[in-house]
C-alpha cells in the first residue's frame, strides 16, 4: 500500500509541475499533501508531548512512510515543492534529532548490535528519508540557492554533522555524505565557509571507517570521495585553509583511494588528484610551490605503482592521464621550486626533470 501511495503522489506531482502559475501550483501541492500533513502534524504533536511515543514501531513506520511520500512528490514537482518542504522542515529536523538520540542511547546500552533492532532500523529510515527529501529538493532548486544556503543548510548541518561524527560506524548513514555532496555541488562557493566543519565531522570519521580494507561500507566509501571531489571542484579555497595535519591526511587518503580495486572509487580518487594538481598549478606560486615540493614526487611514485599493477588495469586511462599531466608540468618547467633539497652538495646542478627521472628509475 505505501508503495502505491508513493506512485500516486509522484504521478500527480508530475501533473502539478506542468502548472506554471506559482500560486496555483502551491495550492495544488497543498491539496495533494493535506491528508499526509494532517497525519504528520498529529504524530509530531504526540511525539512533542511524549517522546516515548517513538517506542511504538507503528508510529515510527508511519512517520517514515509520510516522508517517503514527500520525497516522491518532491522529485516530480521540482523546486515548487518548497512550499511543502517549508511546512514540515523544522519539525522534520526536530524528529531527526529525537530519533538520533534514541538510536545513540540504544547503541550506548547494547553496542553496535542495536543497529539491527527493528525499531532502530525504522528510526534510521526516518533519518534517511529526511535526508533524501533535502537531497531531492536541492537537486531541483535552480535559482533558489541563496535561500537554500540561508534557510535550509544551517539547521540541517546542525542536526546531522555532530550526530554522524559521534555515532558508531554501523549507525552512520551514507545519505549524510550524499546530501552534503548535493548541497555543495548546488551552492558552490556559498559552502566554502562551512567546509571546515564538514571536514571535521565527516571526512576523518568516514576514512577511519573504511581504511581497514577495500570492501566494507561500500556506500560510504564511494560517497566520501565524491564529496571530496565536489569540494575540490567547487570550494577549493577552503582546502587551502585546512590545518597542515588535516591537509596531509586528505592527500594520503586520496592516494589510498586510487589504490582501490573498486573502479568507481579509484576513478574518483584519480579525478580528484588531477583536479587538485590543476588547481594548485593555477594558485599563487608560493602556494603551488609549497604543495608540489611536499607532495609531487610522492604522488607521482604512487601513480606509477598502481599503473604497473595488473589489479588496477581497469583504471588505466585516468592513471595515465594524471601521469601525463604531471610529466607535462615538469617538462614545461611550470613547477619553479626545486622538488629536491637544493642545499645538499650532491644535488648541485640538478634540476626537477633530472630529479624526477631519478626518482622513477629508483622505484
Amino acid at each position: 500500500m505505501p508503495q502505491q501511495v508513493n506512485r500516486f503522489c509522484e504521478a500527480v506531482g508530475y501533473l502539478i509541475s506542468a502548472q506554471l502559475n506559482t500560486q496555483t501550483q502551491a495550492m495544488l501541492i497543498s491539496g495533494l499533501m493535506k491528508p499526509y500533513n494532517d497525519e504528520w502534524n498529529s504524530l509530531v504533536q504526540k511525539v512533542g508531548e511524549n517522546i516515548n511515543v517513538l517506542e511504538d514501531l507503528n508510529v515510527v513506520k508511519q512517520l517514515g512512510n509520510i516522508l517517503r511520500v514527500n520525497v516522491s512528490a518532491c522529485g516530480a514537482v521540482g523546486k515548487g515543492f518548497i512550499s511543502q518542504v517549508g511546512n514540515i522542515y523544522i519539525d522534520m529536523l526536530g524528529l531527526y534529532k529525537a530519533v538520533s538520540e534514541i538510536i545513540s542511547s540504544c547503541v550506548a546500552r547494547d553496542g553496535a548490535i542495536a543497529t539491527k533492532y527493528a525499531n532502530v532500523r525504522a528510526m534510521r529510515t526516518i533519518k534517511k528519508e529526511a535526508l533524501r527529501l533535502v537531497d531531492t529538493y536541492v537537486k531541483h532548486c535552480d535559482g533558489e540557492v541563496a535561500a537554500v544556503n540561508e534557510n535550509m543548510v544551517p539547521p540541517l548541518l546542525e542536526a546531522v554533522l555532530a550526530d554522524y561524527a559521534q555515532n558508531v560506524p554501523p549507525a552512520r548513514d551514507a545519505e549524510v555524505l550524499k546530501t552534503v555532496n548535493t548541497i555543495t555541488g548546488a551552492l558552490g562557493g556559498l559552502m566554502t565557509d562551512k567546509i571546515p566543519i564538514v571536514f571535521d565531522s565527516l571526512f576523518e570519521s568516514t576514512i577511519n571507517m573504511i581504511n581497514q580494507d577495500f570492501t566494507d561500507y561500500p556506500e560510504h566509501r564511494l560517497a566520501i570521495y565524491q564529496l571530496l571531489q565536489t569540494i575540490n571542484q567547487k570550494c577549493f579555497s577552503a582546502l587551502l585553509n585546512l590545518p597542515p595535519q588535516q591537509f596531509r591526511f586528505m592527500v594520503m587518503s586520496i592516494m589510498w583511494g586510487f589504490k582501490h580495486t573498486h573502479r568507481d572509487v579509484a576513478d574518483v580518487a584519480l579525478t580528484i588528484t588531477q583536479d587538485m594538481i590543476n588547481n594548485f598549478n593555477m594558485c599563487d606560486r608560493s602556494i603551488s610551490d609549497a604543495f608540489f615540493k611536499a607532495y609531487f614526487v610522492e604522488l607521482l611514485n604512487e601513480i606509477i605503482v598502481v599503473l604497473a599493477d595488473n589489479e588496477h588495469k581497469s583504471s588505466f586511462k585516468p592513471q595515465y592521464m594524471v601521469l601525463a599531466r604531471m610529466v607535462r608540468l615538469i617538462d614545461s618547467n611550470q613547477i619553479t621550486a626545486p622538488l629536491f633539497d637544493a642545499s645538499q652538495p650532491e644535488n648541485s646542478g640538478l634540476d626537477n626533470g633530472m630529479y624526477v627521472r631519478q626518482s622513477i628509475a629508483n622505484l
Side-chain angles (χ1 to χ4, degrees):
M1 185 65 177
Q3 189 173 7
Q4 292 174 327
V5 171
N6 293 344
R7 292 298 184 205
F8 170 79
C9 290
E10 183 179 8
V12 175
Y14 280 116
L15 295 175
I16 293 174
S17 69
Q19 172 55 250
L20 301 181
N21 183 281
T22 304
Q23 291 183 335
T24 304
Q25 189 181 71
M27 182 184 68
L28 293 172
I29 294 169
S30 178
L32 172 64
M33 301 306 298
K34 186 179 186 307
Y36 312 106
N37 285 343
D38 289 345
E39 185 180 8
W40 170 268
N41 291 333
S42 174
L43 292 173
V44 167
Q45 183 178 353
K46 290 178 182 177
V47 172
E49 293 170 353
N50 182 5
I51 193 67
N52 293 327
V53 169
L54 290 174
E55 294 177 3
D56 186 334
L57 184 58
N58 288 328
V59 169
V60 176
K61 286 183 175 180
Q62 283 177 281
L63 289 165
N65 287 336
I66 294 170
L67 287 173
R68 281 198 187 97
V69 169
N70 276 271
V71 173
S72 296
C74 182
V77 173
K79 69 176 182 180
F81 204 72
I82 186 60
S83 58
Q84 167 64 14
V85 174
N87 284 338
I88 67 171
Y89 194 66
I90 298 303
D91 286 337
M92 182 180 76
L93 293 183
L95 184 63
Y96 187 103
K97 292 178 182 179
V99 297
S100 293
E101 290 174 3
I102 295 173
I103 292 170
S104 296
S105 297
C106 289
V107 170
R109 185 186 67 229
D110 299 337
I113 189 64
T115 60
K116 306 294 184 183
Y117 297 166
N119 64 324
V120 171
R121 290 202 311 270
M123 289 182 197
R124 290 186 69 185
T125 295
I126 289 177
K127 295 174 68 177
K128 291 176 182 179
E129 295 302 329
L131 291 165
R132 285 175 183 142
L133 179 57
V134 175
D135 185 275
T136 302
Y137 174 71
V138 171
K139 285 176 178 175
H140 294 85
C141 73
D142 299 340
E144 304 293 337
V145 293
V148 169
N149 179 56
E150 183 176 348
N151 301 321
M152 292 185 70
V153 173
L156 177 75
L157 296 184
E158 180 187 352
V160 305
L161 293 186
D163 172 66
Y164 183 95
Q166 293 165 9
N167 258 322
V168 295
R172 292 176 183 154
D173 299 308
E175 284 74 14
V176 172
L177 305 174
K178 295 175 184 178
T179 302
V180 174
N181 182 36
T182 297
I183 292 170
T184 304
L187 270 59
L190 293 174
M191 277 291 289
T192 299
D193 63 325
K194 304 172 187 67
I195 295 304
I197 189 172
V198 168
F199 249 81
D200 289 343
S201 303
L202 303 185
F203 188 71
E204 190 167 347
S205 60
T206 304
I207 293 297
N208 288 335
M209 282 171 60
I210 64 176
N211 65 6
Q212 304 305 310
D213 55 48
F214 291 116
T215 56
D216 287 347
Y217 304 107
E219 267 195 288
H220 298 73
R221 194 175 295 271
L222 181 58
I224 191 62
Y225 282 102
Q226 289 174 331
L227 174 58
L228 183 55
Q229 180 183 19
T230 304
I231 292 172
N232 188 38
Q233 291 172 344
K234 303 287 187 176
C235 307
F236 176 71
S237 61
L239 300 181
L240 301 179
N241 295 320
L242 291 177
Q245 185 175 359
Q246 196 172 41
F247 185 87
R248 178 162 182 80
F249 183 82
M250 178 193 68
V251 176
M252 295 299 104
S253 299
I254 294 169
M255 287 193 279
W256 183 75
F258 59 64
K259 293 177 183 177
H260 275 67
T261 52
H262 189 295
R263 181 174 179 175
D264 290 343
V265 175
D267 285 0
V268 172
L270 288 163
T271 300
I272 296 169
T273 304
Q274 180 143 341
D275 288 345
M276 184 171 289
I277 288 170
N278 290 335
N279 285 340
F280 270 104
N281 192 47
M282 291 186 291
C283 284
D284 180 87
R285 274 299 124 194
S286 62
I287 296 173
S288 62
D289 285 348
F291 171 77
F292 288 132
K293 190 172 181 65
Y295 297 108
F296 186 91
V297 173
E298 191 171 5
L299 280 166
L300 183 68
N301 290 345
E302 294 298 338
I303 288 291
I304 293 173
V305 168
V306 295
L307 191 60
D309 188 342
N310 280 335
E311 289 189 2
H312 298 92
K313 62 183 179 181
S314 62
S315 295
F316 179 74
K317 182 176 180 179
Q319 289 163 3
Y320 81 69
M321 288 179 67
V322 174
L323 179 61
R325 178 60 178 146
M326 297 182 79
V327 170
R328 175 63 180 164
L329 289 176
I330 294 296
D331 285 347
S332 59
N333 296 316
Q334 293 184 55
I335 300 177
T336 55
L339 301 177
F340 50 90
D341 187 351
S343 65
Q344 296 298 317
E346 63 268 23
N347 292 333
S348 176
L350 199 62
D351 61 26
N352 283 338
M354 296 169 60
Y355 178 72
V356 167
R357 283 192 287 273
Q358 289 180 9
S359 297
I360 295 173
N362 291 332
L363 284 176

